[in-house]
Structure formats: structure tokens, C-alpha cells
């Protein structure tokens, strides 16, 4: 949130407190029995609303105590409840329903206990009870609406991210398919041409004959074509991740995440497919932890077959807010991660931990080749 947005909110809260205070004092000024203590109580109760975002429970307690003291001392009309109504609405909006209900009960009890007459007290108390019920209900409705907006925004961001990832993955798969086709067809054909031209040149020289310039041109052109084709295949296969899991961890730390990396076993070069899968698994696990775990500690462990099993083991754990009783709904990220691992003959487990948080465990055979 920018400083300008914060300043606007602070200004809006101060204006709200000033308006409530002005209404309360304006109504109290028409009561003959209003004294300095009453005006002070109204002013303090109204002023507390300026802090309702930062400390909603403290504001609720202050407004309730000051408002109750005012009605006990001055016996005012229903509009005296405005500061308490504002505090009750704010408390309900941030989830303190019980406290909001208790504050409403305390204020209504104080109002009823000091009322001037039975019928008038009952009518006013009923009116106030309806006001307080509305304050609680509107606070809860606002809370649910804000939660819905946040969820909608997160879903939109997730959909955009998964669309981009799916498009990139399809493009990469298509490039690899084209590279395989070129390798299987053109490379073989050009190799045969180059081989036949080389044999023809060798035989001509062995017999002491002059090598035809066209044959030499074919030999040279086929060699150049092979070099150009290899370069094109490298470009088409440029689906490899640019970096390592260690670099991903450093980027996550720079973004503010608490991440620890542990590497065990005999670290060695991996085949391109396994190396790419390991990079994507760590990348997706860190992305999910950043999005869903909250301010959690993340641990990344990579084991290069330390137990002699010839497998690469990747563990990414966090101690975030994941509930062990609720299994995650697999999104595109987890599905893609599982597809990569399965294609290499490995196994993947991604689920909440029993002690809280989320764990991703992948086992990949290191001997897998492209």
C-alpha cells in the first residue's frame, strides 16, 4: 500500500471521528442538563474512532466505556450511541463478533438501567438494539465482501499465471517436437549426403583423379549445413531453465522469504531432463509457499543419492498455515510438477504436513537421459 493511500485512510478516519463527535455534541447542546463532563465523554468516545483500523478492540472498549458512562450520567437520547455503533461495526468487520455483541449488551444495559420511564426506555432500547444488530450484520457483510474480493483477485492472478505457464509449456513442447523431427529427418539425410560426398572425394584422390569442384562444394556445403542445423536445434531446445535451485533460493531470499538450502550427497551434473525438472519443482514449490504459506520459514533439501539409491531427492517444506485436515486442490502448478516427475519415472508427494505447513517431496532417477 502506498503512502498516499495510507494518508487518505488516516484522513478519512479523522473526518469520521470529527463528524460523529460533532453530531453527538450538537444533539447534547440542546439538552439543558449537559455539562462539561458530558461533552468530554462524547469527545473522547468519538475521537477514539480515528484509531479503529489500527486497534479495533481497544477502540471498541474505549467507546463502550465512555459511551456507557455518558448515558449513565446524562440520560441522553438514542443518538448518544453513535460512537459505540461505529466501534461495534468496525469490530464485527474484522471478525470480533463476540466482542461486538458484548459491547452492545453493556451499552444497552447501561442505557436501560438509567432510563426515565418504563415505556420510553423499552421503545428506545428496542430502537438501539436494532441499530446495534444492523451494525454487527453490516460489519460481517463487509468482512465477507472484502474476503470475496481478495479471493477473486487471487484467482484472477492465479489464472493469469497458469495461463502464461501453460502457454510457455506448450511452446516449449512444440519446440522440442520440431527439434526431434529435424534431428530424426534432416540430420540423418544431411549426414548421408556428407558421408557419400566424402567417400567420393576419397576414392577420386585414391585413384589419382581430379576431384570435381561440384563434389567438393557438396562436401563443404553439407558440412556447413550440419553445423547450421546443430545451431538451430540448440535454439529450439532452449527450453532449459536459466539458473539453478541455489539461484532460486537466493532470489526468494532477496524477495523477503526465509529460505534455507541444504545439499547432501555427491553433487554431480544431471541429465538435461532431470536438471530441468529439479529446477521447475523447486521454483513451483517456492512460488506456492510465497503465495499461500504466509510469513513462514521454508526449507529446501536436495540429496544427490546420498543413501546409495541413485535417486535425486528434493524436499521443500514450510511451516505456514496449511491445514493437515484439508487436502489441497491440485492447480496447474502442482499438476505440471507431477507430470514432469512421472514422465521421468519418479514419484512426487505434495500435501500438508501433520505438524502444520506444506511439504513437497520429489524423487527422480538420476540416470534418466533425454
Amino acid at each position: 500500500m502506498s503512502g498516499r493511500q495510507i494518508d487518505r485512510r488516516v484522513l478519512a478516519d479523522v473526518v469520521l471521528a470529527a463528524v460523529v463527535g460533532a453530531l453527538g455534541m450538537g444533539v447534547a447542546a440542546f439538552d439543558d442538563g449537559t455539562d462539561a463532563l458530558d461533552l468530554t465523554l462524547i469527545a473522547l468516545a468519538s475521537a477514539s474512532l480515528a484509531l479503529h483500523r489500527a486497534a479495533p478492540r481497544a477502540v471498541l472498549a474505549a467507546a463502550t466505556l465512555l459511551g456507557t458512562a455518558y448515558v449513565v450520567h446524562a440520560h441522553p437520547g438514542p443518538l448518544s450511541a453513535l460512537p459505540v455503533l461505529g466501534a461495534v461495526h468496525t469490530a464485527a468487520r474484522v471478525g470480533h463478533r463476540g466482542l461486538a455483541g458484548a459491547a452492545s449488551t453493556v451499552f444497552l444495559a447501561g442505557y436501560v438501567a438509567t432510563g426515565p420511564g418504563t415505556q420510553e426506555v423499552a421503545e428506545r432500547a428496542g430502537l438501539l438494539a436494532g441499530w446495534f444488530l444492523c451494525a454487527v450484520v453490516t460489519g460481517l457483510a463487509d468482512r465477507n465482501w472484502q474476503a470475496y474480493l481478495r479471493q477473486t483477485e487471487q484467482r484472477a492472478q492465479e489464472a493469469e499465471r497458469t495461463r502464461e505457464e501453460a502457454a510457455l509449456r506448450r511452446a516449449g513442447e512444440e519446440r522440442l517436437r520440431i527439434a526431434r523431427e529435424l534431428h530424426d529427418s534432416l540430420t540423418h539425410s544431411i549426414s548421408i549426403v556428407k558421408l557419400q560426398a566424402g567417400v567420393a572425394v576419397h576414392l577420386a584422390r585414391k585413384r589419382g583423379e581430379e576431384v570435381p569442384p561440384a563434389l567438393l562444394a557438396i562436401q563443404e556445403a553439407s558440412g556447413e549445413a550440419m553445423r547450421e542445423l546443430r545451431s538451430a536445434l540448440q535454439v529450439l531446445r532452449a527450453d532449459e531453465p536459466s539458473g539453478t535451485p541455489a539461484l532460486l533460493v537466493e532470489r526468494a531470499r532477496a524477495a523477503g522469504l526465509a529460505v534455507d538450502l541444504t545439499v547432501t550427497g555427491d553433487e554431480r551434473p544431471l541429465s538435461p531432463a532431470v536438471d530441468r525438472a529439479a529446477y521447475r519443482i523447486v521454483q513451483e514449490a517456492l512460488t506456492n509457499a510465497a503465495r499461500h504459506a504466509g510469513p513462514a520459514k521454508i526449507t529446501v533439501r536436495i540429496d544427490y543419492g546420498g543413501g546409495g539409491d541413485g535417486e535425486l531427492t528434493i524436499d521443500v517444506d514450510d511451516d505456514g498455515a496449511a491445514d493437515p485436515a484439508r487436502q489441497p486442490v491440485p492447480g496447474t502448478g502442482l499438476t505440471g510438477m507431477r507430470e514432469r516427475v512421472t514422465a521421468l519415472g519418479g514419484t512426487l508427494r505434495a500435501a500438508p504436513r501433520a505438524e502444520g505447513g506444506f511439504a513437497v517431496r520429489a524423487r527422480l532417477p538420476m540416470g534418466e537421459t533425454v
Side-chain angles (χ1 to χ4, degrees):
M1 186 181 298
S2 65
R4 180 174 297 180
Q5 289 176 317
I6 294 175
D7 291 340
R8 287 179 178 176
R9 288 193 172 189
V10 171
L11 179 60
D13 295 342
V14 172
V15 171
L16 172 65
V19 170
V20 172
L23 287 174
M25 289 186 176
V27 173
F30 291 98
D31 292 337
D32 296 335
T34 301
D35 56 20
L37 176 60
D38 297 330
L39 295 177
T40 301
L41 292 173
I42 295 173
L44 292 177
S46 302
S48 66
L49 294 178
L51 302 175
H52 72 88
R53 296 184 196 273
R57 288 184 293 182
V59 169
L60 179 64
T64 302
L65 293 176
L66 293 168
T68 304
Y70 170 53
V71 298
V72 169
H73 181 263
H75 315 298
L79 287 178
S80 61
L82 283 178
V84 187
L85 282 170
V88 165
H89 171 81
T90 299
R93 184 168 59 85
V94 297
H96 303 307
R97 294 175 294 179
L99 291 177
S104 302
T105 303
V106 169
F107 182 84
L108 287 173
Y111 192 88
V112 171
T114 59
T118 304
Q119 182 177 0
E120 186 178 3
V121 168
E123 292 176 354
R124 291 185 175 183
L127 177 63
L128 286 176
W131 287 3
F132 278 109
L133 179 61
C134 289
V136 173
V137 171
T138 55
L140 294 176
D142 186 32
R143 172 182 173 83
N144 292 335
W145 176 248
Q146 294 298 328
Y148 171 75
L149 290 179
R150 288 193 297 270
Q151 187 178 29
T152 302
E153 183 179 359
Q154 290 176 355
R155 287 179 177 175
Q157 293 175 350
E158 179 70 16
E160 182 66 25
R161 186 175 70 88
T162 53
R163 277 197 299 269
E164 292 177 356
E165 290 179 353
L168 289 174
R169 186 167 60 251
R170 286 194 297 269
E173 291 171 354
E174 183 64 15
R175 286 199 304 270
L176 292 177
R177 186 190 67 80
I178 295 173
R180 285 193 297 268
E181 292 294 331
L182 289 176
H183 180 272
D184 294 341
S185 58
L186 287 182
T187 303
H188 176 73
S189 300
I190 295 175
S191 297
I192 295 298
V193 171
K194 184 174 184 297
L195 177 62
Q196 293 292 340
V199 170
V201 170
H202 174 71
L203 291 177
R205 288 173 177 170
K206 187 176 181 180
R207 291 194 296 264
E209 300 174 357
E210 183 180 357
V211 179
L215 192 60
L216 291 175
I218 291 174
Q219 184 183 35
E220 182 179 356
S222 59
E224 181 64 24
M226 284 292 296
R227 288 190 291 271
E228 293 291 339
L229 183 57
R230 289 194 185 98
S231 299
L233 290 177
Q234 289 177 355
V235 172
L236 288 173
R237 290 180 178 272
D239 175 40
E240 311 297 328
S242 57
T244 63
L247 180 60
L248 288 174
V249 170
E250 290 300 323
R251 291 174 181 170
R253 288 171 179 166
L257 296 179
V259 188
D260 288 334
L261 173 63
T262 302
V263 179
T264 57
D266 184 14
E267 188 171 355
R268 71 199 77 168
L270 302 172
S271 66
V274 175
D275 189 38
R276 180 167 59 251
Y279 181 91
R280 297 304 186 196
I281 289 169
V282 175
Q283 183 183 48
E284 182 64 27
L286 289 177
T287 300
N288 287 339
R291 290 177 58 83
H292 305 297
K297 183 177 180 181
I298 307 169
T299 303
V300 179
R301 291 184 296 274
I302 301 177
D303 179 23
Y304 286 83
D309 52 8
E311 289 186 323
L312 178 72
T313 302
I314 303 172
D315 290 310
V316 183
D317 300 339
D318 67 69
D319 57 359
D323 185 359
R326 297 181 59 186
Q327 292 299 315
V329 178
T332 303
L334 286 178
T335 302
M337 195 189 305
R338 191 175 301 279
E339 289 174 351
R340 285 181 181 274
V341 173
T342 304
L344 295 173
T347 59
L348 176 76
R349 182 182 183 277
R353 304 191 306 168
E355 62 272 27
F358 200 82
V360 174
R361 180 178 178 84
R363 296 173 67 90
L364 298 169
M366 289 191 294
E368 187 71 28
T369 58
V370 180

